Amino acid sequence: IEAVMAGIEARAKELWDAGVFPISFGGDHSVSYPMLKALAEKHDGRIGVIHLDAHLDNMDTFGEHRYARCSPLRRTYELPGIDPRNIVHVGIRGPRNNPKGMQAARAAGATVISSFECKAPGGIDAAIRRSLELAGAGTRAIYVTLCSDALDVAHNPGGPADPCGLSTYEMARFLRGVAGAGIDGFDVVEIYPPTDHNNVSSHVCCWMSLYVLSGLVQARRRK
């Protein structure tokens, strides 16, 4: 596991040193941590993270494993120089969240925006503004990580089956909105090809990436 993490981190460093915008397709959510670690090292920990997911993924361990898919945001809280107040969990919901995860987020100072908040009138636009405000406060870079189950199960047949999530429209609007302010990297994780009949979730993943790139172009034009 450590060798895999080190390999991802090394490649991420190469990409950021080359000045490109990396888009990574997972893997489970554990693969986001070495990407975040590489970006944090490049900016002395002064990064913001916008984490879209049904689950907080901030448990200290899963069994004995510190780098399980349940733990990447907990490891990110611990990165040198990082301020967890610059980390925003968006789309969180449901009984598959361990109550200790919310306790850990509160103790660290991270912000949680539930899917229900996002679905309230004006909620997506408010979530965009709040996420950018928090992730961008005093930071030099912002990274966006998307677990497929931030989407409702009806929009994500090839991912974890979590109801009450965002629609593809809401997700595209959110991603284009945050990318339009300028971000530095993006990943999509937790799509399971054996259950992704007709490649629906894979297509959604590609569409979401295109909306990120559309927002990024908008941000660069403004600069």
Side-chain angles (χ1 to χ4, degrees):
I1 293 171
E2 286 78 7
V4 171
M5 295 286 160
I8 296 171
E9 181 184 348
R11 180 61 176 146
K13 286 180 179 178
E14 291 176 1
L15 294 172
W16 273 304
D17 287 344
V20 301
F21 181 88
I23 295 179
S24 171
F25 300 106
D28 69 30
H29 217 151
S30 65
V31 301
S32 298
Y33 170 67
M35 299 283 290
L36 289 163
K37 187 169 182 283
L39 187 63
E41 289 178 359
K42 183 176 179 63
H43 295 286
D44 299 320
R46 293 178 62 183
I47 67 168
V49 181
I50 299 173
H51 166 224
L52 292 140
D53 205 317
H55 314 107
L56 287 158
D57 287 358
N58 65 352
M59 299 303 293
D60 190 32
T61 61
F62 181 72
E64 61 183 20
H65 299 293
R66 298 182 73 251
Y67 297 105
R69 66 177 183 168
C70 306
S71 304
L73 274 297
R74 181 63 164 264
R75 301 286 81 83
T76 304
Y77 292 171
E78 300 166 349
L79 285 170
I82 202 163
D83 186 345
R85 291 176 296 180
N86 295 126
I87 297 176
V88 191
H89 304 276
V90 181
I92 308 303
R93 65 193 187 280
R96 292 206 298 133
N97 279 290
N98 189 313
K100 292 180 180 178
M102 186 63 78
Q103 294 167 10
R106 288 171 175 160
T111 296
V112 177
I113 302 174
S114 73
S115 66
F116 298 92
E117 292 176 76
C118 292
K119 285 184 167 291
I124 280 291
D125 291 334
I128 292 168
R129 290 192 299 271
R130 192 175 179 202
S131 296
L132 288 170
E133 178 183 340
L134 291 163
T139 60
R140 297 174 180 167
I142 296 176
Y143 188 87
V144 177
T145 176
L146 167 61
C147 179
S148 73
D149 62 26
L151 291 160
D152 188 89
V153 61
H155 300 260
N156 184 38
D162 287 280
C164 302
L166 303 186
S167 69
T168 51
Y169 168 78
E170 290 164 335
M171 182 63 71
R173 185 178 180 90
F174 182 92
L175 290 172
R176 191 175 190 276
V178 295
I183 62 175
D184 298 86
F186 174 65
D187 70 46
V188 184
V189 297
E190 304 281 353
I191 290 176
Y192 311 149
T195 61
D196 190 16
H197 304 298
N198 297 319
N199 294 317
V200 172
S201 290
S202 297
H203 277 84
V204 170
C205 161
C206 293
W207 275 54
M208 295 304 109
S209 301
L210 291 171
Y211 278 103
V212 167
L213 291 173
S214 172
L216 189 67
V217 168
Q218 185 182 47
R220 291 186 177 183
R221 281 179 173 170
R222 280 202 301 270
K223 291 181 179 179

